[in-house]
Amino acid sequence: MKDIKKKLLVYAHYYHPDVASTGQILKELCEGMLDEFSITVICTVPSYTGTVEESYKKEKYYHENIKGVKVLRVAVPEFSKENKKSRIKNLIAYSFRAILATLKLPKQDYIFTISQPPILGGVLGVLGKWLKGGKLIYNIQDFNPEQTMAVGYSKNKAILNIAMMVDKFSCRQADKVIVVGRDMQETLKNRFNNKNVPRNVFINNWIDEKEIYPLPENHEKVLAFKKKYELENKTVIMYSGNIGLYYDLENLIKVIERFKDRDDVVFAFIGDGTKKKDIESYVTEHNMDNVKFIPYQDKSDLIYSLNAGDVHWVVNAKGIKGISVPSKLYGVMAAGKTVFGVLEEGSEARLIIEDCNCGICIEPGNYDLIYQELKDVIENIDKYKQLGIKGKEYVDKYIKKDVAIEKYSREILCEVEKLTEVENKERMSIQETKNV
């Protein structure tokens, strides 16, 4: 029987089994929309850590089927997250081969792209629309070049201006822009000075509440995780996720240093990123024995690592408000854990935390207050641990995976139906003119 589902092409950059948060979100989104769409994903071979397995070094393209989603992987060179040139080479290779892969596909009804890689993700969506037709949905997970400018990663004004111009063009070409925070809608409006703002909607990212949920402190696998990484019988203050540019971790580690003589507390960093080596060096240099670095965990083990923490950092550097939403928040809340937020007032993550009172929030850059509040949390840990369950209740009510995915399906179909209706009216008008 001929497949009557509409064709949806997704540019994902990273996709399962890569541990990038956007890759995991897109996997769940694609699999959740299979009832509505026939989906093809164009992404890299697994390479989020910078390395590529030998089995993915033989060909330029790999065709896979993951739970009904057609996955077309493109080969990319290995890279170092600390080396700008190698990263740029990797991104260009992905973008170029993704375009060539697009040419191999039939016409599409819809194109869905995200803002990863920065700027290039939007460009791929536009090219996909031009090459294969269909309506373009641009999902902005992070605004760039605003994010780059906020942390001073690049100060080349000419390049930043060109990047802004290109991404604004991608927004204009999109039939709908989907952002992941209320504050991000304001950023989109400001980009266009509140004039001719592209059609947009806000949908929170999510967590699969069936995969991440609270476990008893004496759960066998939680205890095993703590034993493996020397977290036993201590208050565990955890950071789980990308140890990268946008979180001010190189300054927060200096706050943590003030607790280095506390043998009843351990600070656990789970993940990897461009700032990890710098932070590791600082910890070694300053003899911070109660700081532990732990590798990324398999998705199936994430429930145990998250439950091993008593309090979780959810942080952004100053200036990130309206640009990005730390998706790690949803996993922490789903596990029923208390949030220690270093987030700007009015930012999406902080609004959520304040809505449900699942933790505390402090303005980025106020390091003395961060120290005082962290000290209070540690010394009154039993009281603060009770806040976490409010986050779990909020997730179950407002941020369920199925609810979010249904919103995406509805917004894509609703947008296309609206546009189709307009096109039909235009055709009828033209026909009537011809008849006259």
Side-chain angles (χ1 to χ4, degrees), residues 308-320:
D310 295 306
V311 175
H312 284 255
W313 295 94
V314 176
V315 302
N316 262 342
K318 197 167 187 64
I320 299 297

Side-chain angles (χ1 to χ4, degrees), residues 103-302:
L103 293 172
K104 302 173 184 290
L105 299 176
K107 290 290 183 182
Q108 300 291 311
D109 297 295
Y110 319 117
I111 309 294
F112 185 98
T113 193
I114 66 168
S115 53
Q116 292 291 334
I119 312 301
L120 295 175
V123 171
L124 282 175
V126 173
L127 292 174
K129 177 180 179 178
W130 289 353
L131 292 171
K132 295 300 173 182
K135 307 301 181 183
L136 172 60
I137 311 298
Y138 187 14
N139 180 207
I140 298 181
Q141 295 280 331
D142 309 288
F143 274 108
N144 271 295
E146 290 95 334
Q147 191 176 47
T148 299
M149 295 162 62
V151 297
Y153 188 60
S154 173
K155 296 182 180 179
N156 189 314
K157 290 186 177 180
I159 291 177
L160 293 171
N161 287 337
I162 291 171
M164 179 66 80
M165 179 181 67
V166 171
D167 206 57
K168 286 173 68 175
F169 176 76
S170 298
C171 289
R172 289 194 186 97
Q173 287 293 305
D175 297 293
K176 178 171 283 184
V177 175
I178 298 178
V179 296
V180 297
R182 288 161 280 185
D183 53 345
M184 294 179 70
Q185 281 187 299
E186 292 303 312
T187 300
L188 183 65
K189 292 175 184 176
N190 292 337
R191 267 191 171 190
F192 294 91
N193 298 315
N194 288 308
K195 296 177 182 177
N196 299 316
V197 180
R199 275 184 175 152
N200 65 91
V201 66
F202 145 64
I203 304 175
N204 275 123
N205 282 341
W206 63 88
I207 190 71
D208 188 341
E209 73 284 355
K210 298 181 181 67
E211 293 184 354
I212 305 295
Y213 47 84
L215 293 174
E217 291 187 359
N218 62 353
H219 189 280
E220 179 183 0
K221 291 193 175 181
V222 174
L223 292 177
F225 179 88
K226 286 186 173 184
K227 182 176 182 179
K228 181 176 181 179
Y229 295 107
E230 301 177 329
L231 311 179
E232 295 174 290
N233 304 315
K234 299 178 186 293
T235 296
V236 180
I237 313 295
M238 183 174 287
Y239 178 92
S240 179
N242 181 26
I243 307 175
L245 290 168
Y246 309 116
Y247 310 107
D248 197 29
L249 295 174
E250 63 270 35
N251 285 311
L252 292 178
I253 197 67
K254 297 175 184 177
V255 176
I256 292 172
E257 183 189 359
R258 298 168 73 173
F259 296 92
K260 71 177 185 179
D261 295 327
R262 296 283 301 256
D263 57 9
D264 59 329
V265 179
V266 61
F267 295 88
F269 287 82
I270 301 179
D272 202 350
T274 54
K275 289 294 180 179
K276 184 178 180 180
K277 286 185 178 179
D278 292 341
I279 295 172
E280 283 181 317
S281 297
Y282 188 92
V283 167
T284 301
E285 182 181 344
H286 292 83
N287 302 311
M288 297 165 63
D289 296 331
N290 62 349
V291 176
K292 306 294 180 183
F293 292 93
I294 300 170
Y296 272 121
Q297 300 299 295
D298 291 339
K299 189 179 179 184
S300 59
D301 293 329
L302 189 59

Side-chain angles (χ1 to χ4, degrees), residues 2-38:
K2 187 177 180 180
D3 190 355
I4 60 173
K5 294 179 185 177
K6 297 292 186 180
K7 293 184 177 66
L8 172 63
L9 171 60
V10 177
Y11 292 102
H13 192 199
Y14 295 117
Y15 195 75
H16 178 80
D18 269 325
V19 295
S21 60
T22 51
Q24 298 295 332
I25 287 168
L26 285 174
K27 175 183 182 291
E28 293 176 358
L29 179 61
C30 290
E31 292 175 4
M33 296 196 301
L34 282 172
D35 287 343
E36 300 285 352
F37 307 104
S38 174

Side-chain angles (χ1 to χ4, degrees), residues 11 44 51 57 66 69 71 84 94 132 149-150 190 214-215 225 232 265 292 306 316 325 363 413 422:
Y11 292 102
T44 66
T51 60
K57 291 182 178 180
I66 301 178
V69 178
V71 179
K84 284 186 182 181
Y94 162 65
K132 295 300 173 182
M149 295 162 62
N190 292 337
L215 293 174
F225 179 88
E232 295 174 290
V265 179
K292 306 294 180 183
L306 289 177
N316 262 342
V325 179
E363 199 72 14
L413 291 171
V422 170

